[in-house]
Amino acid sequence: MHLAGLFAHGAGADRGQRGFLFLELPNSAKLAALGGVNITAGAQDVSMVSANPALLSEEMDRQLSLSYVGYLADIKQSNLAYAFKSEKYGRWAASINYLNYGDFVQRDPTGMELGTFNVNDYTLALSHAREAEAFTIGATAKVAVSSIAGNKAVGILADAGAVFKHPEKDFTVGLAFKNVGYQVKTYDGGERQQMPWDAQLGLSYKPEHMPVRLSLTAHRLYQFDIVYLDPNAPGKLDENGNEVKEEKTLGDKIARHFVVGTEFVFSKNFQLRAGYNHLRRKELRLDTKAGGVGFSVGAMLRVRSFELNYGSAFFHPSGATHYVTIGTNTSTFLKKKRSS
């Protein structure tokens, strides 16, 4: 499962047998700032196509996006995405996502040091989308590779999505099926793992006279009860000194399915963002401290032909993880080159 399992929220009992959990990590500043799960807030950010291929739109044509995030220790993630349109074959986007866990010391059974090895995961993806009036449907085909000291596991996966955009109002509804696929190659001597598939439903709405766009996304729709309670965790003591174990509640079962995102749209060149992921807060908090776990913030600043995005998400009470995404429209450079 790799160290990505530390960050990939939802690693409860039903997901513990699944592999390639790095596919659930947010790979851009905008997605991270909106809570890590969002399938309707696309705009001009081509990196959001990884969240829902149906977000691929005309606004993203010739958009190039580069994202970077440094997790704990030496764990680093980077993402490169580009959108283009073919007159014959329609609108496409391609991306590569790379996650490196750093170098590890290799030892023999006696503990003697033999050298070092590295661990990394990466994904190659190709997306296509078509519009039909207010609706857009899209699909993504991808190859995911997980490597430990050269020992590789390979998965073939697909995403499918649909988006409805209101023709007059700033209102979007989306549906996405993520990471549906099969592990075609296992680690040497390892068992074949299930893919971390998911079904998500979401909406985004900006009232006409308010500079706020609200997003609500439901995920893990394949199973109602996704609450995991550690059977070995100590319970609280009641007034008589008896240990009382934590129990599941209906409200918690429902809340863990939802992620809330907010965009404060001050202008087309400047935005602030915030998000809350209840599942992440419940599963990654410490028994004695929660801190900002589950919350996230971010901002967007557009300067000339560049769009700078920043996101900060709390996966642990000790501090936040910081994301940076830089986007630009390559047609601007092509025009300058032709004119010169």
Side-chain angles (χ1 to χ4, degrees), residues 47-293:
S47 66
M48 289 295 292
V49 175
S50 65
N52 185 356
L55 290 177
L56 183 59
S57 66
E58 182 179 0
E59 294 177 307
M60 298 179 185
D61 287 350
R62 295 184 181 275
Q63 289 286 337
L64 177 67
S65 171
L66 177 62
S67 301
Y68 175 83
V69 54
Y71 290 112
L72 300 176
D74 295 327
I75 306 174
K76 298 177 177 62
Q77 181 182 14
S78 55
N79 180 271
L80 179 67
Y82 180 69
F84 58 96
K85 182 181 180 181
S86 166
E87 293 297 329
K88 184 177 181 180
Y89 299 106
R91 184 164 286 112
W92 298 81
S95 68
I96 179 170
N97 190 66
Y98 180 74
L99 191 64
N100 183 277
Y101 300 87
D103 294 328
F104 296 82
V105 176
Q106 183 175 358
R107 302 178 186 275
D108 65 14
T110 65
M112 181 177 294
E113 186 173 330
L114 301 177
T116 62
F117 66 94
N118 56 60
V119 180
N120 54 71
D121 301 317
Y122 58 91
T123 309
L124 302 174
L126 183 64
S127 304
H128 178 59
R130 290 186 176 273
E131 297 179 3
E133 297 182 351
F135 292 90
T136 302
I137 57 174
T140 298
K142 50 190 174 183
V143 177
V145 180
S146 184
S147 175
I148 301 178
N151 186 4
K152 293 181 173 61
V154 181
I156 303 295
L157 308 100
D159 299 342
V163 163
F164 166 79
K165 294 183 179 180
H166 195 282
E168 298 178 359
K169 299 180 180 180
D170 192 339
F171 177 70
T172 304
V173 178
L175 174 67
F177 298 93
K178 311 282 292 295
N179 300 320
V180 179
Y182 183 74
Q183 185 175 359
V184 296
K185 182 184 182 302
T186 66
Y187 288 114
D188 293 343
E191 296 181 356
R192 181 165 282 106
Q193 297 174 306
Q194 297 182 24
M195 298 296 98
W197 79 278
D198 195 9
Q200 302 174 357
L201 178 67
L203 60 86
S204 293
Y205 175 61
K206 179 184 177 300
E208 185 176 358
H209 301 294
M210 292 181 62
V212 178
R213 181 180 294 109
L214 301 173
S215 295
L216 182 65
T217 309
H219 59 131
R220 311 289 189 262
L221 297 180
Y222 56 84
Q223 182 178 350
F224 175 66
D225 183 4
I226 57 173
V227 176
Y228 175 73
L229 300 179
D230 185 356
N232 299 316
K236 297 181 179 180
L237 298 180
D238 62 15
E239 56 184 10
N240 297 319
N242 298 317
E243 186 180 48
V244 179
K245 290 286 188 178
E246 183 181 2
E247 296 183 355
K248 298 180 180 181
T249 65
L250 178 61
D252 189 33
K253 290 179 182 179
I254 296 174
R256 292 195 187 212
H257 285 280
F258 289 95
V259 176
V260 180
T262 306
E263 299 173 88
F264 299 93
V265 187
F266 297 105
S267 73
K268 67 176 183 179
N269 296 321
F270 179 64
Q271 295 181 9
L272 295 179
R273 298 166 179 147
Y276 175 69
N277 187 317
H278 188 66
L279 178 62
R280 182 185 295 168
R281 183 170 181 81
K282 296 296 288 187
E283 293 205 340
L284 297 184
R285 62 182 294 169
L286 300 178
D287 292 336
T288 58
K289 184 180 180 181
V293 174

